[in-house]
Amino acid sequence: MVEAGDFLWQGDEDFVASSNVSQFMAWLATERGHHFADYHELWRWSVADIEAFWQAIWDYFQLHSPTPHDKVLSSRSMPGAQWFTGATVNYAEHVLRNEVNGDPSRPFLYHLSELRPLGEMSWQEVAQKTRILATRLRALGVKPGDRVAAYMPNIPETVIAMLATTAIGAVWSSAAPEFGAGTVIDRFSQIEPTIVFVADGYRYGGKNFDRRDDISTIIAALPSVKTVIWMNYLQPDSEVAAMRPAVLGWEEALSGAPVPAAEFEFERVPSDHPLWVLFSSGTTGLPKAIVHGHLGVLLEHYKSAAFHMNIKPGRSVYFYTTTGWMVWNTLMWGPLMNGIAVLYDGDPAHPRPDAVWDIAARTKAQQIGISPTLVLTMQKLGIRPGEKYDLSALEGIFLVGSPATPESFSWLYENVKAELWVTSQSGGTEFCSGLVGGSPTLAVNAGEIQARTLGADIVALDEDGKEIIGEPGELIIRSPMPSMPIQLWGDKDFAAYRDAYFDIYPQWWRHGDSFTLNARGTCFVHGRSDATLNRYGVRIGSAEIYRTLDTMPEIVDSLIVCVEDKNGGFYMPLFVQMREGTALDDAMIARLRQKLRTERSPRHVPDEIIAVPAIPYTLTSKKMEVPVRKLMMGIPLDKAANTGSMKDPGALDWFADFASRRAA
């Protein structure tokens, strides 16, 4: 059995030397006189001299601003640090500028969905449609700073709408079509959009989902909307629906005359001008409206795409995502690096559980990003994609969305490809990127995240605020980063911002993750720190328990919490969703207890093991440990969770009933 930290792979000399980060280190030596022996030395410089590091990122990627900047960083205070003051940039302009760096008919996007076969869209087509739509938006009265929202699937039209919106300095925000009307209203009502792009529905898992009634409800609740741009995606031959504001069909919106690149003016904006608004999961209240700026996202995305994803020109990148997850906002990493983004809309395991590998093979993906949960499913089903698909172009797999187990790493090497860069990533909507992730120059060790990302001054602190190595603590960021939120929408004085991230350490960002940093620089993210299991004064991560349960085919899913009882003790129940046809009987309970005791420790053995009909998840696939813990503490369901942010809003009802019965 593979153990956490076991060595699995190291890229050969050519792989390391040809990596983007090695080339950047060579450039730093030649152009800046900085010589670094390895990635860890480079990281230490990047957080010690953050102004010099981010200036190097600006210069290396040749960011374009018609106005010079007077300083890299106004001050190191958080929040409120201002970057590259005086500069003016545009995100969409940088994404599209590679149109001229090669044949404009080459692919910009590969795209497919459960409704559409695999197709491609060229650089020329994407850029031209972006200019036409941006010109239309200007004609509709959209000004810099106005909000434009979308209730659309992960298809090329949504990318074009986003690029057109940001090209003119308007502020983009999106919600996935699987979100219910209430969830969308919770988000969009905060930002008051003037334009909303909608699609009539989508298909997932072979089933059609008509969203026309939801759209009517959403628009009726948004008095700020002046125009709805409607796309018939699910039912292409239907008439465009009529509703209160003006409705424009997608084809009509794109019917303008071609706009030559030389005649189109991108709206170049200062670093504190909003690019887009992303939303937190909102599991226990209204989701936070997180505002990013053009410049901060550009700097962070160039850094991440090049040095932590190793994306190469002309190569394709496939990350499974929906438009309601921050990963969607990173899909332009491919085009930023003069590569290709792969869009897929639908169930990642439809029509077969190995569909993700079919897509990777057909698009010749260099890198793919998938969830550890999906890997676990394929592991339990005995899938061996390396034997079935041509994955010769595949170089890297990035495990995102939740902690990855050593077994997931090992399974990928055994069943996908022996020569493979596998790494786990963790970041957040707040940064629209990773905080800890991979480097192609480092070894891959089972279950470990390879390193802290460049420019991310991260440490683990214990409960006394002291730095610790080798044991779980709070993930703390001690220096500002360009892609930190400009603000939370409507929070002009940073009061809500400070309360969310600077409540315990006023000078440092507290991310809310339980985090272990090892002596060799590798690390683990165990999950949210407010869901950490405090077992008789010893903090343990829920991921350790899930890792053991994941090896048991009888268990489909699980969730564990720990709450303090009235007598000062602890109650730690384990909830398990059993596979159909399998019962949680006394023999199974005894087997589970013994397995946790021997593979983990006596402290990992729960007080009670209970079968449940389903495990609750947010719309962004996060287990709802914190809301369940609140229910166990006696907090009512309407205060413990925002059910509108859930994949299955009824999944918490069982837990609320259980908590009520236990308290009686």
Side-chain angles (χ1 to χ4, degrees), residues 544-565:
E544 299 169 0
I545 291 172
Y546 298 147
R547 182 186 171 197
T548 289
L549 299 179
D550 286 347
T551 65
M552 303 185 69
E554 301 90 343
I555 296 175
V556 174
D557 207 347
S558 58
L559 184 147
I560 191 163
V561 296
C562 187
V563 296
E564 298 80 10
D565 64 26

Side-chain angles (χ1 to χ4, degrees), residues 449-469:
I449 300 172
Q450 286 181 292
R452 293 166 284 186
T453 60
L454 297 174
D457 186 10
I458 292 171
V459 295
L461 298 187
D462 66 14
E463 293 178 350
D464 297 322
K466 298 177 181 177
E467 285 188 48
I468 51 174
I469 298 292

Side-chain angles (χ1 to χ4, degrees), residues 371-534:
S371 72
T373 303
L374 185 60
V375 172
L376 175 63
T377 298
M378 291 182 282
Q379 184 179 341
K380 289 188 174 183
L381 291 173
I383 292 170
R384 301 180 66 85
E387 296 177 357
K388 184 176 179 180
Y389 297 103
D390 178 6
L391 300 173
S392 56
L394 185 63
E395 291 183 1
I397 294 179
F398 304 96
L399 299 171
V400 296
S402 60
T405 65
E407 290 80 9
S408 294
F409 278 63
S410 179
W411 182 88
L412 290 166
Y413 282 105
E414 292 172 3
N415 296 280
V416 177
K417 199 172 180 180
E419 287 299 316
L420 195 63
W421 175 35
V422 177
T423 182
S424 180
Q425 313 276 318
S426 185
T429 303
E430 294 87 351
F431 297 84
C432 198
S433 186
L435 293 172
V436 290
S439 172
T441 64
L442 299 175
V444 175
N445 301 303
E448 293 185 350
I449 300 172
Q450 286 181 292
R452 293 166 284 186
T453 60
L454 297 174
D457 186 10
I458 292 171
V459 295
L461 298 187
D462 66 14
E463 293 178 350
D464 297 322
K466 298 177 181 177
E467 285 188 48
I468 51 174
I469 298 292
E471 56 185 287
E474 283 280 354
L475 192 158
I476 300 296
I477 304 172
R478 299 181 298 185
S479 303
M481 296 173 63
S483 67
M484 282 178 171
I486 298 169
Q487 64 178 91
L488 304 181
W489 190 266
D491 180 38
K492 300 296 185 183
D493 61 358
F494 295 120
Y497 196 143
R498 291 185 184 280
D499 184 60
Y501 306 110
F502 298 91
D503 56 337
I504 295 178
Y505 305 103
Q507 75 279 32
W508 294 332
W509 175 291
R510 185 179 70 91
H511 196 54
D513 279 346
S514 176
F515 172 72
T516 296
L517 178 65
N518 295 327
R520 61 184 174 189
T522 59
C523 49
F524 300 90
V525 172
H526 307 287
R528 301 301 292 170
S529 55
D530 49 4
T532 298
L533 308 173
N534 189 336

Side-chain angles (χ1 to χ4, degrees), residues 241-257:
M243 56 182 64
R244 172 185 52 78
V247 178
L248 192 65
W250 175 262
E251 291 77 12
E252 185 180 356
L254 268 292
S255 64

Side-chain angles (χ1 to χ4, degrees), residues 45-85:
W45 170 74
S46 76
V47 298
D49 194 348
I50 56 177
E51 292 87 354
F53 170 72
W54 290 108
Q55 179 67 63
I57 296 295
W58 175 290
D59 294 338
Y60 189 72
F61 293 104
Q62 300 178 1
L63 268 69
H64 173 65
S65 168
T67 56
H69 58 272
D70 48 34
K71 60 176 62 176
V72 173
L73 181 60
S74 60
S75 75
R76 295 197 179 193
S77 61
M78 297 182 284
Q82 293 184 315
W83 294 86
F84 292 88
T85 51

